Amino acid sequence: MRFLITGGAGFIGSHTAELLLSQGHTVTVLDNLSTGKKENLAFDKKVEFIEGDVKDKAACERAAKGQDGVIHLAAQVSVIHSLENPAHTHQVNIDGTLNLLEASRKAGAKSFVFASSCAVYGDNNQLPLMETATLKPLSPYAVSKLAGENYCGMYRQSHGLKTCVFRFFNIFGSRQDDTSPYSGVIAIFAKRLLASQGVTLFGDGNQTRDFLYVKDLVKVLTLAGSHPESFTGPAYNLCSGKQTTVNQLFAHLSKAAGKSVSTQFAPARTGEILHSLGSYQLYGKVADSLGAPFQPTPLEEGLRETVRWYASR
Ligand code: NAD
Ligand code: UD2
């Protein structure tokens, strides 16, 4: 099949491109390189790269033309930025998603996969979170993801475009940006451990997250891209179904890096949720029915591979 990946030069997008190419598909990437990098796409097999913005309707139409499947990952991804600049987040994440949906419908795409986020649950503490849990978006980022989900549902109902919506929990792995103070905790800890620098744990380090390895995630995205008819629900959680404290995470990473560095505790980040845990039961059933059971990589194994990659750069 021919796939368009928006945001394909980013962390998750580049892994999606790599897997689709290895499966024999043709890949086009639409990315404005705001956080992504061309070097993320330096594989043996090449992708067609279009430098462009999802806010630009014409660019979306050009990129979607002739595509069988669209995997829409391009987004303004920072919660903090969204609180400071809600209008920009709205334009990229809501207008951009609408541009892509419309372009995909016009192009007659057979599938449309959308990256939503567990942020749509907000501080809901009915753990583990099922897709039916109350949604409490607490940031423009979360609101924009929920709007994208609703637009996807509308395009499925009203236009027959086979949209598949996934709520990603905390994703980690190689190529995740480690340069910003708001980078994912695993990228920050791995980088600092390898440089023998101390780390900061916010709060008491007993807050928990549900970490999923990027290679598990992209298998799901590519499966949905080729079997969209199986994903009839409004949204599916993509998570490991396991809760890990930040303290435990640090211990695993320290072991993987073979280093021990100093730790300091700092006040908990304002507005941050204490615990997060998802259930992938709903996705698990679809995966079983497609003969591709979902078996998340054990955290320690994913962390070892991730640390090896950061060390090799
Ligand atoms: P990333 O920043 O590495 O990737 C985003 C990509 O989108 C980048 O390549 C960037 O250049 C591109 N982009 C941004 N604005 C654009 C625009 N206006 N036009 C075209 N391209 C644009 O982030 P990621 O972690 O790979 O995130 C991918 C998707 O997954 C996003 O939609 C994000 O909201 C979602 N998500 C990620 C996580 C996670 O844990 N990483 C969790 C929940 C949801
Ligand atoms: C994730 C997303 C965020 C948003 C949110 C929604 C990432 C990087 N962030 O935020 O965009 O979708 O989920 O719920 O995917 N921590 C430390 N020390 C550090 C860095 C982090 O202790 O140096 C802690 C942090 O306080 C938090 C945990 O590690 O408790 C995870 O932090 P994160 O920024 O990786 O992810 P999260 O879940 O806060």
Side-chain angles (χ1 to χ4, degrees):
M1 285 172 69
R2 282 161 302 181
F3 278 97
L4 168 66
I5 308 174
T6 71
F11 160 50
I12 296 171
S14 61
H15 281 279
T16 311
E18 193 172 14
L19 183 58
L20 284 172
L21 290 171
S22 76
Q23 293 168 346
H25 300 290
T26 304
V27 175
T28 301
V29 163
L30 173 67
D31 199 302
N32 70 352
L33 300 177
S34 53
T35 57
K37 297 185 201 100
K38 264 196 173 171
E39 70 214 49
N40 283 342
L41 294 169
F43 316 127
D44 293 343
K45 291 185 195 144
K46 293 283 169 269
V47 303
E48 182 197 358
F49 182 80
I50 302 175
E51 186 167 344
D53 200 304
V54 295
K55 299 199 295 309
D56 176 353
K57 223 187 239 180
C60 293
E61 285 181 5
R62 271 196 307 277
K65 201 168 174 201
Q67 304 291 345
D68 301 309
V70 174
I71 300 187
H72 179 41
L73 303 172
Q76 190 302 100
V77 298
S78 161
V79 170
I80 306 285
H81 175 88
S82 81
L83 287 160
E84 288 161 356
N85 203 335
H88 178 242
T89 301
H90 186 109
Q91 286 151 13
V92 178
N93 294 7
I94 302 183
D95 299 345
T97 297
L98 185 56
N99 285 343
L100 248 303
L101 281 163
E102 195 51 15
S104 304
R105 178 186 73 79
K106 284 189 188 158
K110 295 175 188 69
S111 63
F112 186 99
V113 176
F114 176 63
S116 184
S117 165
C118 64
V120 298
Y121 295 115
D123 61 0
N124 188 322
N125 52 18
Q126 304 162 258
L127 304 185
L129 290 161
M130 311 284 285
E131 290 80 353
T132 46
T134 311
L135 303 178
K136 296 188 198 171
L138 297 175
S139 62
Y141 171 78
V143 169
S144 73
K145 288 294 179 183
L146 191 52
E149 290 191 8
N150 286 328
Y151 267 125
C152 285
M154 188 281 269
Y155 269 76
R156 185 179 265 268
Q157 295 293 328
S158 303
H159 296 303
L161 177 63
K162 292 198 176 68
T163 54
C164 313
V165 170
F166 295 103
R167 294 179 181 152
F168 303 175
F169 280 63
N170 289 61
I171 313 303
F172 72 97
S174 57
R175 304 192 200 117
Q176 186 168 27
D177 176 45
D178 61 0
T179 57
S180 144
Y182 303 110
S183 291
V185 64
I186 292 176
I188 293 176
F189 283 3
K191 179 185 183 181
R192 296 193 66 86
L193 272 160
L194 290 166
S196 301
Q197 292 168 337
V199 303
T200 302
L201 298 123
F202 296 119
D204 60 6
N206 286 322
Q207 69 272 37
T208 57
R209 292 293 183 270
D210 182 330
F211 296 103
L212 181 67
Y213 192 37
V214 67
K215 295 203 173 166
D216 300 327
L217 176 94
V218 300
K219 278 186 202 158
V220 179
L221 304 183
T222 63
L223 189 69
S226 23
H227 298 277
E229 63 290 342
S230 300
F231 295 85
T232 51
Y236 295 85
N237 288 339
L238 290 182
C239 53
S240 71
K242 296 221 160 64
Q243 217 169 357
T244 305
T245 69
V246 172
N247 287 323
Q248 287 167 335
L249 180 72
F250 174 68
H252 290 323
L253 279 165
S254 189
K255 191 170 159 204
K259 299 237 187 166
S260 74
V261 298
S262 63
T263 54
Q264 61 163 9
F265 288 88
R269 282 175 171 171
T270 39
E272 104 157 25
I273 56 165
L274 216 45
H275 298 293
S276 171
L277 173 67
S279 161
Y280 62 76
Q281 207 183 319
L282 201 60
Y283 172 68
K285 283 191 190 141
V286 181
D288 289 346
S289 75
L290 288 170
F294 186 56
Q295 286 155 343
T297 303
L299 179 64
E300 287 186 74
E301 188 181 326
L303 292 176
R304 275 196 300 276
E305 287 183 21
T306 304
V307 167
R308 214 175 297 136
W309 181 82
Y310 281 108
S312 72
R313 276 186 315 168

